[in-house]
Amino acid sequence: MNITFSSIRTFYTSSRYLKKVPERLKGRSKSSQEWLIRQMNDEYVSKAKIENYRARSAFKLIEIDSKFNILKPGDVVVECGAAPGAWTQVCVKRINAAGTVPGKLQGKHIAVDLQPMYPIEGAHILAPLDFTKLSSQTKVTELLDGCLADVVLSDMAPAATGVRELDQDQILTLGYSVMTYAQQISKDGAKLLIKLWAGGRVKQLENELLLHYSRVKVVKPPSSRQDSAELFLLASNFRRNT
Ligand SMILES: C[S@@+](CC[C@H](N)C(=O)[O-])C[C@H]1O[C@@H](n2cnc3c(N)ncnc32)[C@H](O)[C@@H]1O
């Protein structure tokens, strides 16, 4: 019998297996047990631990950047929805924000989140802060100190209610807020990456992005779970005077 990683994962996440709940998970709610079992059997969760990333989400940015070359040493990056900081860890390395690679340009990274975040060398962390508030955006602009951004990233997601339309509307509102702010602080040629959930008015946001960026791609990196509605809009080549 050919035992592959995915066959093991299918076995562990099958309803037959879920009836045999490990002792230490007993007493938790069913959804919490399912979430923990999925985490225990997720290859990206293990990889994140081995590579010292704060969350498996690191691999989404790594995969997107490896395919589309978003980040380079010396870039100025604004990241919205950064906690716990896995994207920040990836970004800081790739733009050399801590100046740890001599001979390469040193970038600048500003990370914002509603939740508090532990420090990351090379990152300016503004947290806890609600990015959608004008006062928060003013703080980011002040930290930019006259620089324009090469890249704006948003992995922001609201706490899901489970009501699909409501959740989609809320994540779109976050997406619009990032798009509007990115237009004020991005340099010519800049990129913008926004996380959304499929459906609703995604196409409308895509069309609005096309008014200011030459290209917009819908991206679903391999580490984004197939059963999740998550997708990313990657807009490239910002045109400042449009
Ligand atoms: C999926 S997590 C981000 C994970 C992060 N990219 C990482 O790799 O560690 C989504 C984040 O969006 C944040 N968020 C949601 N609404 C926000 C808002 N209005 N302002 C700032 N952050 C927000 C949440 O607090 C949460 O930490």
Side-chain angles (χ1 to χ4, degrees), residues 25-135:
L25 299 189
K26 284 190 177 152
R28 291 177 182 265
S29 68
K30 189 167 186 298
S31 61
S32 157
Q33 285 174 358
E34 282 172 3
W35 185 85
L36 283 163
I37 288 171
R38 192 170 67 164
Q39 289 293 99
M40 281 167 5
N41 294 292
D42 182 318
E43 63 178 310
Y44 291 103
V45 172
S46 319
K47 251 174 104 177
K49 279 192 193 128
I50 293 164
E51 296 182 29
N52 241 333
Y53 288 117
R54 293 181 182 182
R56 74 186 292 291
S57 51
F59 297 102
K60 296 178 202 170
L61 184 58
I62 289 172
E63 288 163 355
I64 294 173
D65 187 41
S66 300
K67 186 158 181 193
F68 298 105
N69 298 315
I70 305 173
L71 304 163
K72 59 179 188 317
D75 276 354
V76 175
V77 177
V78 173
E79 183 194 357
C80 311
W87 278 28
T88 315
Q89 291 175 293
V90 173
C91 223
V92 157
K93 259 191 239 158
R94 295 196 171 200
I95 67 171
N96 194 28
T100 43
V101 187
K104 289 210 168 160
L105 291 174
Q106 182 169 357
K108 180 170 192 163
H109 187 95
I110 301 173
V112 183
D113 203 285
L114 270 182
Q115 306 295 329
M117 276 175 75
Y118 289 108
I120 292 175
E121 195 191 349
H124 299 271
I125 293 177
L126 296 175
L129 211 66
D130 180 350
F131 175 77
T132 59
K133 293 207 170 131
L134 184 59
S135 57

Side-chain angles (χ1 to χ4, degrees), residues 28 34 49 74 99 108 133 137 146 155 167 191 196 213 222:
R28 291 177 182 265
E34 282 172 3
K49 279 192 193 128
K108 180 170 192 163
K133 293 207 170 131
Q137 298 179 2
D155 195 22
D167 291 341
K191 297 190 171 87
L196 295 172
Y213 295 81

